[in-house]
Amino acid sequence: LTIYDLVPGQMEQALIERQIDIGITYIPVPMPELDYLKVTSIEMGIFAKSRRFKKTPFKDIPFVIPVNPLLGSPTKVQGLDGWPDHKVKRKIQYKVSLLESAMEICRQGLAAAHLPKFIIPLHNNHTLAENHLTPLPFPPNFKKQFQDVYVIKRKSDLKDQSFLKICNLLKDLK
């Protein structure tokens, strides 16, 4: 098993070029050669080190965001973290290429991040209490954020056992 961390667009191209067999994304870049199967929806949240930024106005909270912009997505979302920048601006302090780097900046208490909610209990179960991440409220008039999760395959490929197993495992994420 080889796992690649590809950004949307690159993932779809790697599927078309047969460099990978299955893609998993929450920001699909539609291409006619591919099938996209929505398997679940995950809740997103704003997270920071415990007790950091609790009394800080939203406009003053420093954020860590993905460095790679999104290209070709049918939504107006421009970042890999799914934040709707076209609706609510954030104070961007740091840009990183890895999720783990973003979480480390959060653990250090330097910034907050927009992350999938299911990751936080996994993170907190494996770190000291002083490094736990906790939720921050969304800005006023901001709805809860959810990201649909898709499994992508080539249209020419059948839905084999591996594909179906991955779909079923992803359905358990919440």
Side-chain angles (χ1 to χ4, degrees):
L1 175 68
T2 303
I3 298 174
Y4 293 93
D5 189 0
L6 302 170
V7 296
Q10 287 178 350
M11 179 187 318
E12 286 82 353
Q13 198 59 46
L15 269 162
I16 291 167
E17 294 172 2
R18 298 190 170 276
Q19 295 169 347
I20 62 174
D21 296 314
I22 295 172
I24 301 169
T25 188
Y26 57 91
I27 304 176
V29 176
M31 296 192 178
E33 304 92 334
L34 303 175
D35 283 331
Y36 299 80
L37 177 65
K38 178 183 164 186
V39 291
T40 193
S41 188
I42 56 173
E43 187 174 354
M44 302 292 286
I46 301 170
F47 297 92
K49 185 174 183 171
S50 296
R51 297 181 299 281
R52 286 291 288 150
F53 312 118
K54 290 287 185 193
K55 296 182 180 179
T56 305
F58 180 82
K59 67 178 183 59
D60 296 328
I61 296 173
F63 272 82
V64 55
I65 69 165
V67 71
N68 294 328
L70 265 180
L71 302 171
S73 173
T75 69
K76 291 185 180 181
V77 169
Q78 294 180 344
L80 289 176
D81 64 354
W83 186 267
D85 289 302
H86 61 287
K87 292 182 180 177
V88 178
K89 296 290 183 207
R90 300 176 282 181
K91 179 181 176 183
I92 298 168
Q93 193 73 34
Y94 304 94
K95 292 182 179 183
V96 297
S97 59
L98 297 173
L99 175 62
E100 181 54 34
S101 299
M103 293 178 74
E104 178 58 27
I105 288 170
C106 291
R107 283 190 292 271
Q108 290 179 24
L110 300 172
H114 188 236
L115 302 168
K117 203 171 183 179
F118 79 88
I119 289 175
I120 303 307
L122 298 170
H123 169 271
N124 289 347
N125 285 339
H126 297 284
T127 59
L128 298 172
E130 65 198 43
N131 294 323
H132 283 188
L133 302 180
T134 58
L136 292 174
F138 281 105
N141 302 320
F142 196 84
K143 293 189 239 176
K144 275 187 175 183
Q145 290 292 114
F146 290 87
Q147 293 286 358
D148 293 335
V149 178
Y150 298 86
V151 178
I152 310 169
K153 70 171 195 63
R154 288 177 290 275
K155 283 190 176 182
S156 60
D157 292 348
L158 298 175
K159 292 181 183 176
D160 66 8
Q161 288 295 72
S162 297
F163 180 86
L164 296 172
K165 189 173 186 176
I166 289 170
C167 290
N168 287 330
L169 289 169
L170 290 171
K171 286 178 184 177
D172 292 336
L173 295 179
K174 293 291 175 190

